[in-house]
Amino acid sequence: MPTEIDDLERQATSLEIEQAALKREKDEASRERLAAVQKELAEVREKAIGLRARWQKERGAIGRIAELKTKLEGLRFEAEEQTRKGNLQRAAELQYGEIPKSEAELKQLTAIADADAKGTSQRMLKEEVDEEDIAKVVSRWTGIPVSKMLEARCRSWCRWRTACGSA
């Protein structure tokens, strides 16, 4: 589950606890705070529901794309196998029917996923782990800021390029 959703759910839980405590109070200040907490809780829940829906949609799209890639790989393998066995009819069906159909579907799903990602500020899920993701995890573990780690990486890369360029 993405951190944004988890943070919102924790905030909602905290607000629910505060709401339960404020319901027992009878003074005017507590009633005003209760109204404010209820309003804030509704906003947090609404935001969490929206993010969860977006996350589920992205997760489903990535799952479907991975499923299609696996199917496509299997079809290609089967086509090669059928060709080796001499079953050219089945190999032709795969090569000119099922494989292009699956490739077109994969291309279409990838285009839709990319268009959805451009429509939102950024994706909640990614298919691959990149340098920044690793830096964020290491930063959480060590307490060293991400910018410092990436800056050190840049400096070492520049030194390496200079050393290689002068040799």
Side-chain angles (χ1 to χ4, degrees):
M1 177 178 305
T3 317
E4 299 92 358
I5 296 173
D6 189 47
D7 289 344
L8 286 173
E9 288 182 355
R10 288 175 191 266
Q11 185 179 2
T13 302
S14 174
L15 289 170
E16 287 170 355
I17 292 168
E18 185 177 355
Q19 179 183 15
L22 288 170
K23 282 184 179 179
R24 287 187 237 136
E25 299 296 323
K26 302 295 181 198
D27 61 290
E28 188 62 33
S30 296
R31 287 185 193 153
E32 289 174 9
R33 177 65 185 146
L34 178 62
V37 165
Q38 288 173 336
K39 181 180 177 185
E40 187 177 352
L41 182 59
E43 290 171 1
V44 167
R45 283 182 179 158
E46 185 178 319
K47 190 173 181 181
I49 288 170
L51 284 177
R52 184 177 288 279
R54 186 174 129 205
W55 174 60
Q56 293 286 2
K57 183 179 177 185
E58 285 181 21
R59 196 170 98 177
I62 287 174
R64 180 68 180 132
I65 288 171
E67 189 178 292
L68 263 175
K69 285 180 181 178
T70 303
K71 177 184 174 188
L72 197 54
E73 186 179 324
L75 288 173
R76 286 183 179 134
F77 179 76
E78 184 182 351
E80 287 177 22
E81 188 177 319
Q82 294 300 326
T83 302
R84 274 187 301 233
K85 287 181 178 179
N87 188 354
L88 301 179
Q89 177 67 30
R90 178 66 181 148
E93 288 173 6
L94 291 169
Q95 190 69 32
Y96 299 106
E98 293 180 35
I99 291 175
K101 180 181 169 187
S102 293
E103 286 175 339
E105 188 178 353
L106 178 63
K107 192 174 187 178
Q108 182 182 10
L109 281 174
T110 305
I112 290 170
D114 289 343
D116 286 347
K118 288 179 184 176
T120 61
S121 59
Q122 86 181 69
R123 279 186 164 174
M124 294 180 90
L125 297 173
K126 294 192 283 187
E127 290 184 75
E128 66 283 334
V129 176
D130 61 7
E131 185 175 296
E132 283 187 34
D133 295 329
I134 294 169
K136 286 178 186 175
V137 170
V138 171
S139 173
R140 262 188 253 136
W141 287 354
T142 62
I144 301 170
V146 175
S147 58
K148 292 281 187 189
M149 277 191 266
L150 294 177
E151 183 181 309
R153 174 84 173 139
C154 264
R155 275 188 273 140
S156 67
W157 176 252
C158 289
R159 279 193 307 257
W160 181 79
R161 280 187 61 191
T162 306
C164 288
S166 63

